[in-house]
Amino acid sequence: MPTVAETARLLEYYGDLVRTLALLPMITHIRFQGLLQTKEINKLSTESDSTEADDKKDVSKSATSDKPRQLPSAWALLFLVLAEVCASTQFFDPSDRQVRRAVGEMVRTQGRASGGFAQGLALAEKLMTHEDVYELVRFVAAYAGYTSLFVLAVLRLDKLDSEVDINPFTSARKTIVHIVRVLIAPRFWLLVLLAIGFVLGHWSLLAVVIKKKKVLELINTSTELFRALALTGIVIGPHARELVAPFATLQCVGAFARIAHVLVQGRVPFASLLDHGPFDAGVSAAFIGARGTVGIEVWCILILLPFVFRQRKFAMLLPVLAVPCIAVLAGEPYASFVDPYSELLMKQLPNLVAIVSLLTIFLGGFPTMILCLTMCQLLIRIHKLDKGDSEGASSLDATASPSDAALQSKSRS
């Protein structure tokens, strides 16, 4: 039988998996909407009785001009980006050694790889079981995925006529002209300059405030609020129905997983959440925090459920995916059905999260890869991992065991 810590960690893995999977429907649809649009045009044109060229042009216009907005609002996607950043503020703290430990583990694993696909695959699976490496890979992939969607929404590239063009130069020219027209917006650049001026003018004060522990805790706890605002904006704003339904289903499952995680980790029974009032004395901070998290996640589930039930296949998929979380919350004897698979899931879920993260980066195309590399370079600069001298090497050796440090120094020599 798994311990409480192992069960909480398993629920965290499961929530990360479905949250990363929720990115794929949006990214793949935007990436391949040209093929889908061309297929729809051809279908409509073949069904029409008329074969004249002007009639085919009218069919093409009706398939593209009446098409709803593909991506949700840019501000909702921005809140999703802020939620991911606020949940991983430790990566941007130079005094925190989590990034150094993750990079050091990657370097040592690379040094132990002597050749062979099977050995490399086994080392990669073992690498993802390292907590620091797992958190770093998950954050970079989620940040790159949501930020790429935000950039596409800001530039309104989802509204661009993405019909498949044989000539790549013509397609590139249309995209560049569209981006230039969007960027020529005086109000947008005035707001950007105003924000930059405020940050530069109060940089010393902001740097002192951000470094305080209480401020960092407040930023970290605002993750749930940003995510709830983002999901609310996605639901009430303009969107494509075929995108929101799978996204809402996976986000609902993620909300169930987060509820189960916070209650199991805090050892708070679900039935006891309403035993105390909001102003009762003697209530622990862990109980108040768990109740606040459950309240926000329940709100997210309630606003997403109508979009899940609009399609029968997702309405049937939601209970299947949420059953493990509900069984763990219900306790015995229902939790005993999940216990035999806990050990296997603890080994395989980090690898599944890594695979989905890589798919998110590669399917996102050039913007996602550029954002991923930019975040990696930023973390390298913050933690000064780009130094090739003995100081940069010793920073990685400090996190290694004696045997690993000896192996790493031998590989460098």
Side-chain angles (χ1 to χ4, degrees):
M1 183 175 180
T3 62
V4 173
E6 291 175 348
T7 304
R9 188 62 177 167
L10 182 62
L11 290 169
E12 185 178 0
Y13 285 152
Y14 188 62
D16 292 340
L17 176 62
V18 294
R19 191 172 61 191
T20 310
L21 272 174
L23 275 169
L24 290 181
M26 287 191 179
I27 290 178
T28 54
H29 190 88
I30 295 300
R31 200 68 186 159
F32 304 110
Q33 64 173 328
L35 298 175
L36 298 175
Q37 180 178 329
T38 304
K39 183 178 179 180
E40 183 181 356
I41 293 173
N42 293 333
K43 182 179 179 180
L44 291 175
S45 60
T46 54
E47 290 177 355
S48 61
D49 298 329
S50 178
T51 58
E52 297 180 0
D54 54 345
D55 292 341
K56 186 179 292 186
K57 187 179 298 183
D58 293 339
V59 171
S60 175
K61 287 183 179 179
S62 64
T64 56
S65 60
D66 297 337
K67 197 169 186 178
R69 181 183 175 91
Q70 295 292 330
L71 286 175
S73 302
W75 64 269
L77 295 172
L78 177 61
F79 278 132
L80 285 176
V81 176
L82 291 177
E84 294 296 333
V85 174
C86 291
S88 305
T89 52
Q90 70 276 8
F91 290 138
F92 304 97
D93 185 7
S95 62
D96 190 89
R97 305 188 68 85
Q98 187 171 7
V99 175
R100 294 176 180 270
R101 292 194 300 266
V103 175
E105 184 65 23
M106 293 178 184
V107 172
R108 291 189 292 274
T109 302
Q110 184 180 4
R112 287 193 292 264
S114 59
F117 178 77
Q119 183 183 5
L121 183 61
L123 288 175
E125 291 180 356
K126 185 179 179 181
L127 179 65
M128 286 308 301
T129 58
H130 195 277
E131 183 178 354
D132 298 325
V133 177
Y134 168 83
E135 292 292 342
L136 182 61
V137 171
R138 185 208 60 79
F139 164 69
V140 172
Y143 166 80
Y146 283 121
T147 308
S148 65
L149 293 177
F150 167 69
V151 172
L152 291 176
V154 168
L155 297 179
R156 295 195 290 273
L157 292 178
D158 55 330
K159 291 184 177 181
L160 187 63
D161 186 11
S162 57
E163 184 178 355
V164 176
D165 201 331
I166 299 177
N167 191 348
F169 296 101
T170 304
S171 179
R173 181 182 61 82
K174 291 181 180 179
T175 304
I176 293 174
V177 170
H178 176 80
I179 292 175
V180 171
R181 288 177 178 176
V182 172
L183 291 180
I184 302 176
R187 289 180 294 179
F188 171 75
W189 291 110
L190 287 175
L191 290 175
V192 171
L193 292 176
L194 180 62
I196 294 175
F198 175 80
V199 173
L200 294 179
H202 302 82
W203 175 250
S204 58
L205 179 61
L206 291 175
V208 173
V209 171
I210 291 176
K211 290 181 180 179
K212 292 185 177 181
K213 185 178 179 180
K214 295 297 183 182
V215 176
L216 291 176
E217 291 179 358
L218 177 62
I219 294 175
N220 190 264
T221 54
S222 61
T223 302
E224 301 159 0
L225 176 61
F226 285 140
R227 186 183 294 114
L229 290 174
L231 296 179
T232 305
I234 290 174
V235 167
I236 66 176
H239 55 265
R241 180 179 177 181
E242 62 272 14
L243 288 182
V244 173
F247 179 81
T249 303
L250 294 172
Q251 288 291 343
C252 276
V253 178
F256 278 112
R258 288 188 292 271
I259 290 175
H261 171 262
V262 71
L263 293 181
V264 170
Q265 189 178 37
R267 302 174 185 268
V268 178
F270 184 80
S272 65
L273 292 176
L274 301 178
D275 291 345
H276 303 280
F279 302 104
D280 290 349
V283 182
S284 63
F287 179 85
I288 296 176
R291 185 166 57 184
T293 300
V294 171
I296 293 178
E297 299 300 341
V298 168
W299 165 259
C300 296
I301 293 173
L302 291 177
I303 62 173
L304 292 174
L305 279 180
F307 294 87
V308 177
F309 292 141
R310 285 182 179 179
Q311 298 188 27
R312 183 180 299 176
K313 56 182 179 181
F314 295 114
M316 297 173 61
L317 182 63
L318 177 61
V320 175
L321 296 178
V323 158
C325 305
I326 299 175
V328 172
L329 278 178
E332 297 296 338
Y334 305 102
S336 60
F337 295 101
V338 185
D339 293 341
Y341 307 99
S342 299
E343 185 177 356
L344 177 63
L345 292 175
M346 284 291 291
K347 295 179 180 179
Q348 298 301 328
L349 280 181
N351 298 324
L352 291 177
V353 174
I355 293 173
V356 175
S357 300
L358 291 177
L359 285 175
T360 301
I361 294 174
F362 287 112
L363 290 178
F366 185 74
T368 309
M369 294 182 184
I370 290 297
L371 289 168
C372 178
L373 293 176
T374 304
M375 176 55 64
C376 291
Q377 288 296 322
L378 177 61
L379 295 177
I380 288 173
R381 294 286 183 180
I382 291 175
H383 297 275
K384 299 179 181 180
L385 300 177
D386 55 340
K387 294 183 179 180
D389 53 5
S390 59
E391 181 183 353
S394 62
S395 64
L396 296 180
D397 290 339
T399 62
S401 61
S403 59
D404 291 332
L407 178 62
Q408 186 178 352
S409 61
K410 182 178 178 180
S411 63
R412 285 199 301 269
S413 62

